[in-house]
């Protein structure tokens, strides 16, 4: 059972170890299982005091009978319901639904909601975008006091947290714990929970003077620190590279542990994922990202001999699974000499945060100090150029991506021009391009197996199109290790 159903508990100022879930809660059974999977003891009402009671629309009277430290009300609280004694309320905007929220924003103070609506939310359609900009304006002084957020947020996307009145506002426990790393505990925060599986890290963006200043990342699974270890190592790669690389990377401020769950603090990126900006077709921004990838390669290029450990890894752990499926045994051994470069190695549009002009590349957990060139470029292009025509299923995105590389897409000339420029800048032998791109897709095809092992039986997120490129790449006559369409 996934832990995601218990995600709203992360906004509490304390760790709930015991809870009551009342029958009026939508998705009652899923929430019970989610809390239990998160290590919370779920009790029947009347079995003594608990840390948390979760209530729904029809639970107004029953909620008053539970002796609880905090109350989480899903949906809008009925007018007839009495406020719990000794507790103060914080209203929340919950995107994605209370049983699998993707974003949580407190409605007071006004700054988090104004920033979310104006700089982070990605509504579909021109009218929705205009609506959000107008709504964001109403949440900035002096209008914020005249048009409360309660009036612009639909009831279906709200929740209310009641916590002890002695506490000043709602400061989540993880945010408060980051005080020792320089984070100012504040009620001005936003919680991004994502749409992935249990291993996807969540992040509190903590605001200072209305803008994100700190990103407090944390894991849902106690003790699962591997991704934080890798992220620390990846950010150290960016820091050592300095210059053009570090100019578009966050800085790690420190690590901590909260209730057994790993966490870290980084400088915050400003804006929204490039994934959400693609509907506006931001070609200049895409060109800037590609130029940064090429500049990173030029600035960090090392002698081909430094690639020996990476080539040994590919020959020993990646290549054997594809022999006899269109991959020659000589794919690694016969690769022409190419420079080693700093490689982010997960440069999808979800890991690029932008305000529309500048950008920050986040989540460096897969980075390598010495990796193969062109991997970041083809991975980024395969994502951006497949998505730029609009949302689609993973199967449709996979078809689009194959067509882009095969020269059958209107966007193929863009990819080919990007590649030719990078090949010239890095002085890569043209004969190496097909093998390099093939090795990229073979490597990323292994990510699903690694994820499944790490999840330990929990449900995995749907597999994305880039992790499925290897098979179609080898099967299409226009692609494969001898791919040369990029030179057209």
């Amino acid at each position: 059972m996934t832990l995601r159903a218990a995600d709203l508990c992360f906004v509490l100022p304390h760790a709930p170890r015991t809870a009551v879930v009342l029958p009026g809660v939508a998705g009652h059974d899923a929430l019970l299982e989610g809390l239990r999977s998160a290590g919370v003891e779920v009790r029947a009402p009347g079995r003594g005091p608990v840390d948390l009671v979760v209530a729904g629309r029809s639970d107004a009277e029953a909620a008053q009978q539970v002796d609880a430290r905090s109350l989480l009300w899903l949906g809008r609280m009925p007018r007839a319901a009495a406020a719990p004694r000794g507790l103060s309320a914080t209203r929340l905007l919950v995107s994605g639904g209370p049983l699998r929220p993707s974003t949580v924003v407190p409605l007071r103070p006004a700054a988090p909601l104004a920033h979310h609506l104006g700089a982070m939310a990605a509504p579909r359609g021109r009218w929705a975008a205009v609506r959000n900009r107008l709504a964001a304006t109403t949440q900035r002084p002096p209008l914020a006091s005249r048009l409360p957020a309660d009036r612009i947020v639909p009831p279906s996307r709200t929740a209310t947290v009641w916590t002890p009145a002695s506490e000043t506002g709602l400061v989540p426990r993880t945010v408060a714990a980051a005080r020792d790393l320089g984070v100012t505990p504040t009620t001005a925060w936003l919680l991004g929970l994502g749409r992935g599986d249990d291993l996807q890290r969540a992040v509190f963006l903590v605001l200072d003077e209305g803008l994100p200043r700190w990103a407090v990342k944390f894991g849902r699974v106690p003790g699962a620190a591997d991704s934080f270890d890798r992220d620390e190592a990846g950010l150290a790669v960016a820091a050592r590279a300095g210059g053009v690389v570090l100019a578009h990377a966050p800085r790690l401020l420190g690590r901590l542990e909260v209730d057994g769950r790993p966490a870290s603090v980084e400088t915050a990126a400003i804006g929204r994922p490039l994934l959400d900006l693609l509907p506006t077709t931001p070609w200049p921004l895409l060109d800037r990202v590609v130029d940064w990838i090429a500049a990173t390669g030029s600035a960090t290029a090392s002698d081909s001999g430094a690639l020996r450990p990476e080539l040994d890894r590919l020959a020993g752990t990646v290549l054997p699974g594809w022999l006899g499926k269109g991959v020659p045994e000589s794919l690694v051994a016969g690769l022409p000499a190419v420079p080693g470069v700093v490689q982010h190695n997960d440069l999808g549009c979800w890991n690029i945060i932008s305000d529309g002009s500048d950008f920050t590349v986040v989540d460096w957990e897969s980075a390598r100090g010495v990796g193969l060139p062109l991997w970041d470029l083809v991975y980024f292009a395969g994502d951006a150029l497949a998505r730029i025509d609009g949302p689609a299923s993973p199967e449709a995105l996979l078809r689009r991506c194959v067509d882009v590389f095969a020269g059958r897409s209107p966007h193929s000339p863009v990819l080919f021009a990007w590649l030719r420029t990078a090949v010239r800048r890095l002085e890569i032998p043209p004969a190496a391009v097909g093998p390099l791109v093939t090795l990229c897709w073979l490597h990323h095809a292994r990510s699903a197996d690694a994820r499944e092992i790490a999840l330990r039986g929990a449900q995995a997120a749907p597999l994305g199109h880039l992790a499925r490129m290897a098979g179609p790449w080898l099967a299409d006559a226009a692609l494969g290790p001898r791919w040369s369409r990029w030179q057209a």
Side-chain angles (χ1 to χ4, degrees), residues 290 347 376-386 401 404-405 415 418:
V290 170
L347 200 59
D376 280 349
L377 174 55
V378 298
Y379 194 86
F380 170 72
D383 193 44
L385 298 180
C401 189
V404 167
F405 282 85
L415 166 68
W418 286 345

Side-chain angles (χ1 to χ4, degrees), residues 102-354:
S102 57
T103 307
V104 181
V105 185
L107 301 187
R108 283 289 177 268
L113 182 62
H115 183 75
H116 171 71
L117 294 174
M120 294 181 63
R124 293 181 181 175
R126 181 174 298 178
W127 160 243
V130 171
R131 176 202 63 200
N132 275 17
R133 285 197 295 270
L134 291 174
T137 300
T138 68
Q139 298 309 300
R140 297 187 177 99
L143 295 178
S145 60
R146 302 176 187 175
L147 186 61
D150 303 40
R151 299 185 187 179
I152 63 175
V153 177
S156 60
R157 298 180 62 189
T158 62
T160 304
V161 180
W162 295 82
T163 51
S166 57
E167 298 172 0
T168 305
L170 181 61
V171 180
R173 178 171 173 78
T174 303
V175 174
R179 182 197 309 265
D180 292 341
L181 294 177
V183 178
T184 301
T186 175
T187 58
W189 52 266
L190 305 91
L191 173 57
L193 294 157
R195 297 179 176 86
D197 53 37
D198 291 359
L199 291 179
Q200 182 180 18
R201 293 176 295 180
V203 58
F204 281 101
L205 288 181
V206 184
L207 276 59
D208 182 32
E209 297 184 356
L211 291 174
R213 181 173 178 185
W214 302 280
V216 183
K217 296 181 177 180
F218 64 94
R220 294 177 174 85
V221 180
D226 288 353
S227 62
F228 289 85
D229 294 340
R230 293 194 302 271
D231 206 17
E232 181 176 8
L235 288 172
V237 166
R240 285 194 297 270
V244 67
V245 181
L246 192 57
H248 293 281
R251 290 162 175 77
L252 180 67
L253 302 180
R255 301 238 336 236
L256 67 157
E257 187 176 281
V258 184
D259 302 320
R261 296 178 176 85
S264 65
V265 180
E266 300 174 3
T267 54
I270 303 297
R272 66 194 78 188
L274 177 57
L275 183 67
D276 297 333
L277 295 174
L278 287 176
T280 64
T281 317
W283 290 109
L285 178 58
L286 300 188
D287 287 335
R288 282 193 289 274
V289 174
V290 170
D291 184 69
W292 174 78
I293 296 171
T296 292
S298 298
T300 63
S302 59
D303 184 82
S304 60
L307 278 169
R308 179 46 52 193
E310 172 65 352
L311 294 176
D312 289 344
R313 180 189 73 85
L314 291 168
T317 65
V318 175
L319 201 60
W322 294 95
L323 296 178
K325 299 178 182 178
V327 176
E329 292 186 31
S330 61
L331 184 63
V332 175
L335 183 70
V338 296
V341 301
V342 163
Q343 184 187 81
H344 180 276
N345 211 21
D346 191 21
L347 200 59
C349 293
W350 57 89
N351 276 337
I352 300 172
I353 308 300
S354 175

Side-chain angles (χ1 to χ4, degrees), residues 38-136:
V40 179
E41 178 191 346
V42 182
R43 299 177 180 175
R47 297 290 182 88
V50 292
D51 294 317
L52 175 68
V53 57
V54 186
R57 183 167 182 81
S58 62
D59 296 320
E61 184 175 344
Q64 298 292 324
Q65 309 304 316
V66 180
D67 182 4
R69 180 177 178 181
S70 294
L71 165 65
L72 173 59
W73 197 285
L74 303 183
R76 180 164 290 177
M77 198 167 180
R79 294 180 181 276
R85 293 180 180 177
L87 302 182
S88 60
T90 300
R91 295 280 306 283
L92 306 171
L93 164 66
V94 181
S95 298
L99 295 183
R100 199 176 180 86
S102 57
T103 307
V104 181
V105 185
L107 301 187
R108 283 289 177 268
L113 182 62
H115 183 75
H116 171 71
L117 294 174
M120 294 181 63
R124 293 181 181 175
R126 181 174 298 178
W127 160 243
V130 171
R131 176 202 63 200
N132 275 17
R133 285 197 295 270
L134 291 174

